[in-house]
């Protein structure tokens, strides 16, 4: 018999897949439990609500980004862009969920957190008080990298990352 943590991880994996395919609001807990071959009450044993399930899927992105922006220091901007792309690539399915359904920004105060993360990344890239034009370039660079992780998620990382990082570096004049 599977340990609860295994079942919980399976529920999250299937839910993530369905949420990406058809959106959070268009995915019922019944569809998730049916695909898993478990009862709906068994699903509720692990997650009290759809909101709890969605939050548990988003939480790893939040934790990784919080850790990323908190532990990085100014330095090699290109290396920062490469590391940032690796991190957002790992969570591209969550980004797809968010882009598909903007109401997802309400989970875990994600909308505000994303603005805070971007401001911190820009400070790491350009220092504390960049000129407005440089700030705009950095915003385009970071946003463009995120867009590439969604738009080209079907391509191999080694094809997308170099082009995305090069475009971001060019936007920053690196």
């Amino acid at each position: 018999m599977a340990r609860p943590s295994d079942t919980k991880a399976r529920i999250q994996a299937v839910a993530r897949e369905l949420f990406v395919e058809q959106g959070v609001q268009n995915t019922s807990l019944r569809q998730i439990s049916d695909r898993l071959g478990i009862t709906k009450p068994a699903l509720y044993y692990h997650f009290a609500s759809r909101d709890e399930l969605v939050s548990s899927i988003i939480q790893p992105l939040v934790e990784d980004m919080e850790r990323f922006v908190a532990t990085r220091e100014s330095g090699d901007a290109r290396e920062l862009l490469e590391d940032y792309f690796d991190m957002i690539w790992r969570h591209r399915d969550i980004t797809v969920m968010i882009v598909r359904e903007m109401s997802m920004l309400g989970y875990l105060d994600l909308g505000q957190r994303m603005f805070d993360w971007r401001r911190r990344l820009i400070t790491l890239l350009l220092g504390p008080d960049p000129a407005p034009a440089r700030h705009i370039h950095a915003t385009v660079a970071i946003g463009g990298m995120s867009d590439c992780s969604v738009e080209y998620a079907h391509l191999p990382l080694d094809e997308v990352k170099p082009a995305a990082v090069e475009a971001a570096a060019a936007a920053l004049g690196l």
Side-chain angles (χ1 to χ4, degrees):
M1 184 165 171
R3 294 190 323 261
S5 61
D6 294 337
T7 302
K8 196 170 192 170
R10 285 182 43 234
I11 292 168
Q12 289 169 318
V14 166
R16 184 181 304 108
E17 182 180 305
L18 286 168
F19 293 158
V20 168
E21 286 174 16
Q22 53 194 40
V24 172
Q25 297 306 317
N26 293 329
T27 302
S28 69
L29 294 179
R30 167 71 59 210
Q31 289 173 306
I32 296 167
S33 63
D34 286 351
R35 185 169 288 186
L36 283 162
I38 64 173
T39 64
K40 201 168 160 189
L43 192 145
Y44 276 115
Y45 173 78
H46 296 283
F47 297 98
S49 67
R50 181 194 349 230
D51 285 351
E52 184 180 313
L53 176 56
V54 171
S55 292
S56 77
I57 291 170
I58 295 172
Q59 189 62 41
L61 165 69
V62 171
E63 290 171 0
D64 278 0
M65 276 301 298
E66 293 287 341
R67 186 173 27 259
F68 187 86
V69 299
T71 60
R72 297 304 295 242
E73 295 181 16
S74 296
D76 184 340
R78 187 175 286 272
E79 181 181 323
L80 177 70
L81 292 173
E82 289 175 357
D83 293 347
Y84 174 69
F85 192 84
D86 287 337
M87 202 253 328
I88 61 174
W89 186 262
R90 278 193 309 275
H91 297 289
R92 65 191 179 279
D93 56 345
I94 297 169
T95 306
V96 168
M97 289 168 48
I98 294 165
V99 169
R100 174 181 281 261
E101 217 165 304
M102 296 306 269
S103 64
M104 298 274 299
L105 294 174
Y107 287 91
L108 304 173
D109 198 24
L110 198 54
Q112 184 59 50
R113 286 176 187 242
M114 291 172 86
F115 283 115
D116 293 343
W117 297 332
R118 183 175 24 182
R119 280 192 287 279
R120 174 68 178 138
L121 285 169
I122 290 171
T123 299
L124 288 169
L125 288 165
L126 304 178
D129 194 25
R134 296 267 300 145
H135 197 274
I136 292 167
H137 289 179
T139 300
V140 168
I142 292 167
M145 291 177 73
S146 295
D147 289 352
C148 285
S149 74
V150 172
E151 184 70 27
Y152 305 107
H154 62 285
L155 296 175
L157 171 64
D158 62 356
E159 189 174 333
V160 180
K161 180 182 174 181
V165 170
E166 186 57 39
L172 292 168
L174 302 178

